[in-house]
């Protein structure tokens, strides 16, 4: 009986100790939980990208391996591309030929334009020649008319002169000749007397030599006029000499010949008119040449347009060939690390088959979970500090997403009146300037917004 009481006492002591330990453990757990809520833990995460070819083919070259760091645009692998390279070369040759065709067509167009200009110049020259001919016709006709009129007037004057010589001087002309001769004789006598008187006065010193010279000049002039008037009187009285009549007849014949020549010059007008007609024919021919040259220009322009269209078609074919050729190259879509390789040189892979998996290093983040009771202090755009558990160094981040819906409950309600769930919300933090030496998956501990 005593042994049973001892056993019961021992059990009670054990139960009391276990209860005390449980209460102690529960308090410690609450303290750890509180600490973890105020400084939650997360892990460095990154985007994994499957890199694949856009077309099927056999891998001919691989330039990277697992674990290599790559840059965006870096060549990772290549497919066999002999056929595509040949197509690109053929497209390039076609483009070169098309460009040569354009140059040839342009040269033909320029030549056609030059032909139009030359033909237009011919039209202008023919029109100028026509205008010149018309002016020549007008001038020649006017000149010929004047020559004929002048020649006919000369004939009439020569005829009148001959008639006057044959008929002799009229009575009035003879009387007038006598009067002129008598007046000239009297003027000669007066001038002679004045000259003799001046010489006497000069010898006496009464007049200067200049007066004597002036009187001598008047004397000689009066003498010449008297002799001329005397001869004219004798000619009128005696009538014309036979040689004068012959000279007048010869002059009449010469005037008639000139008149006939003037009449003949009217024929030059016909010649000038024929030049105008020839110029008009030249204008018509030159105009036809212009039309023909313009037709050549239209044809050459059409050829140029066709050649340009061929060039554009060849360029499109070359661009397409180069595009397909570029599909044989596999390039890194982002900076990152090769985490896996799923194909080897010589393997035949299909379009879209993931040859490599790249973990990007450009944008890495961590996702923390906060109870709804602590979420009100955070907003998108906040700069926060975190501690890298492996090294103890601080890193910075920027809050980019606060999830609008709760994820899970971190506290269940108890039996107390009014007690409810406390739910958690995810907060995505983009890491700023995280060194490449920090591996994805390392642990980060929240240090708070603005913490140093």
């Amino acid at each position: 009986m005593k042994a049973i009481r001892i056993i019961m006492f021992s059990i009670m002591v054990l139960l009391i100790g276990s209860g005390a330990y449980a209460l102690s453990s529960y308090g410690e757990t609450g303290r750890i939980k509180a600490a973890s809520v105020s400084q939650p833990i997360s892990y460095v995460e990154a985007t994994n990208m499957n890199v694949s070819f856009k077309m099927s083919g056999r891998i001919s070259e691989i330039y990277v391996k697992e674990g290599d760091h790559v840059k965006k645009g870096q060549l990772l692998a290549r497919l066999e591309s002999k056929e595509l390279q040949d197509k690109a070369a053929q497209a390039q040759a076609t483009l070169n030929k098309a460009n040569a065709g354009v140059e040839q067509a342009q040269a033909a167009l320029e030549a056609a334009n030059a032909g139009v200009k030359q033909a237009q110049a011919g039209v202008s020259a023919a029109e100028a020649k026509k205008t010149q001919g018309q002016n020549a016709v007008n001038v020649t006709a006017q000149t010929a008319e004047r020559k004929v009129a002048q020649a006919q007037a000369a004939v009439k004057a020569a005829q009148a002169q001959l008639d006057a010589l044959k008929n002799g001087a009229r009575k009035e002309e003879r009387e007038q000749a006598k009067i002129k001769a008598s007046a000239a004789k009297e003027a000669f006598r007066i001038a002679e007397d004045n000259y003799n008187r001046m010489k006497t006065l000069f010898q006496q010193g009464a007049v200067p030599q200049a007066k004597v010279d002036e009187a001598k000049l008047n004397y000689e002039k009066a003498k010449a006029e008297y002799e001329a008037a005397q001869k004219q009187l004798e000619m009128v009285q005696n009538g014309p000499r036979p040689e004068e009549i012959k000279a007048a007849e010869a002059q009449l014949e010469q005037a008639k010949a000139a008149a006939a020549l003037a009449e003949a010059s009217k024929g030059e007008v016909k010649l000038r008119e024929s030049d105008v007609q020839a110029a008009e024919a030249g204008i018509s021919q030159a105009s036809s040449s212009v039309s023909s040259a313009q037709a050549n220009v239209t044809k050459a322009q059409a050829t140029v347009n066709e050649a340009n269209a061929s060039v554009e078609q060849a360029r499109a074919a070359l661009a397409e060939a180069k595009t397909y050729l570029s599909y044989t190259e596999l390039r890194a879509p982002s900076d990152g690390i090769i985490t896996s390789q799923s194909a080897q040189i010589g393997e035949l892979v299909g379009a879209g088959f993931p040859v490599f998996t790249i973990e990007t290093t450009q944008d890495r983040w961590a996702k923390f979970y906060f109870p709804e009771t602590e979420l009100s202090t955070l907003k998108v755009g906040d700069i926060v500090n975190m501690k890298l558990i492996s090294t103890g160094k601080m890193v910075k981040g920027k809050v980019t997403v606060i999830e609008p819906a709760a994820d899970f409950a971190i506290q269940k309600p108890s039996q107390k009146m009014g007690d409810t769930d406390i739910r958690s919300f995810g907060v995505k933090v983009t890491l700023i300037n995280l060194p490449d030496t920090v591996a994805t998956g390392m642990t980060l501990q929240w240090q708070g917004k603005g913490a140093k």
Side-chain angles (χ1 to χ4, degrees), residues 49-56 76-77 79 326-333 349-358:
M49 306 176 68
N50 290 327
V51 186
S52 57
F53 288 102
K54 292 184 178 180
M55 62 186 301
S56 301
L76 307 179
L79 297 177
S326 70
Y327 291 167
T328 65
E329 296 180 346
L330 187 60
R331 296 184 177 275
V349 296
F353 177 79
V355 178
F356 296 101
T357 300
I358 295 179

Side-chain angles (χ1 to χ4, degrees), residues 37 55 118 149 167-168 209 244 257 264 281 342 387 395 411:
V37 169
M55 62 186 301
Q118 184 177 2
N167 295 330
Q209 181 65 42
E244 291 179 343
S342 304
K387 183 171 70 173
V395 295
Q411 179 178 317

Side-chain angles (χ1 to χ4, degrees), residues 333-356:
S334 175
D335 293 352
I337 302 172
I338 303 294
T339 59
S340 67
Q341 177 180 335
S342 304
Q344 303 298 326
I345 294 177
E347 289 189 34
L348 186 64
V349 296
F353 177 79
V355 178
F356 296 101

Side-chain angles (χ1 to χ4, degrees), residues 139-155:
V139 172
T140 302
Q142 294 173 1
T143 302
E145 291 295 335
R146 286 197 296 268
K147 285 182 178 181
V148 169
Q150 185 177 2
Q152 289 175 349
V155 168

Side-chain angles (χ1 to χ4, degrees), residues 82-270:
K82 181 64 170 62
E83 183 179 355
L84 293 176
Q85 288 176 350
D86 292 341
K87 287 185 178 179
Q90 182 180 1
Q92 183 65 59
T94 303
L95 177 59
N96 293 339
K97 182 178 179 181
N99 284 326
V102 169
E103 292 178 359
Q104 185 177 0
Q106 287 286 0
L109 178 59
E110 291 176 1
N113 285 324
V116 169
K117 291 181 180 179
Q118 184 177 2
Q120 289 174 342
V123 171
S124 299
E127 289 176 345
K129 189 172 182 180
K130 177 183 177 181
T131 302
Q132 184 180 4
Q134 288 175 339
N135 293 335
V137 166
N138 296 334
V139 172
T140 302
Q142 294 173 1
T143 302
E145 291 295 335
R146 286 197 296 268
K147 285 182 178 181
V148 169
Q150 185 177 2
Q152 289 175 349
V155 168
K156 291 179 181 179
Q159 185 66 53
Q161 180 68 21
L162 179 61
D163 293 342
L165 289 175
K166 288 181 177 181
N167 295 330
R170 293 176 295 179
K171 180 180 179 181
E172 293 85 359
E173 291 176 342
R174 289 193 294 271
E175 291 296 328
Q176 185 176 7
K178 288 180 181 181
I179 294 172
K180 285 185 177 180
S182 177
K185 182 178 180 180
E186 182 62 23
F188 172 62
R189 185 188 65 76
I190 294 172
E192 184 179 17
D193 292 342
N194 186 50
Y195 176 53
N196 292 330
R197 184 170 60 254
M198 287 297 170
K199 288 192 293 184
T200 301
L201 292 173
F202 175 73
Q203 291 174 355
Q204 295 175 359
V207 293
Q209 181 65 42
K211 290 292 184 180
V212 177
D213 295 339
E214 182 180 357
K216 183 181 177 180
L217 181 62
N218 291 332
Y219 164 73
E220 291 175 350
K221 179 179 179 181
K223 182 179 178 182
E225 290 176 354
Y226 169 65
E227 291 175 352
Q230 191 64 33
K231 288 181 180 181
Q232 182 68 26
L233 178 60
E234 292 174 358
M235 184 181 296
V236 172
Q237 290 175 345
N238 297 331
R241 296 190 298 272
E243 59 270 18
E244 291 179 343
I245 294 176
K246 289 182 178 181
E249 290 176 347
Q251 187 173 3
L252 176 61
E253 292 300 325
Q254 184 179 4
K256 288 180 178 180
L261 184 61
E263 287 290 341
S265 66
K266 289 183 177 181
E268 293 184 8
V269 176
K270 297 294 184 181

Side-chain angles (χ1 to χ4, degrees), residues 13 15 17 29 84 112 134 148 154 201 223 229 244 287 289 299 309 377:
V13 170
L15 290 174
T29 301
L84 293 176
Q134 288 175 339
V148 169
L201 292 173
K223 182 179 178 182
E244 291 179 343
S287 298
S289 298
K299 183 177 179 181
T377 60

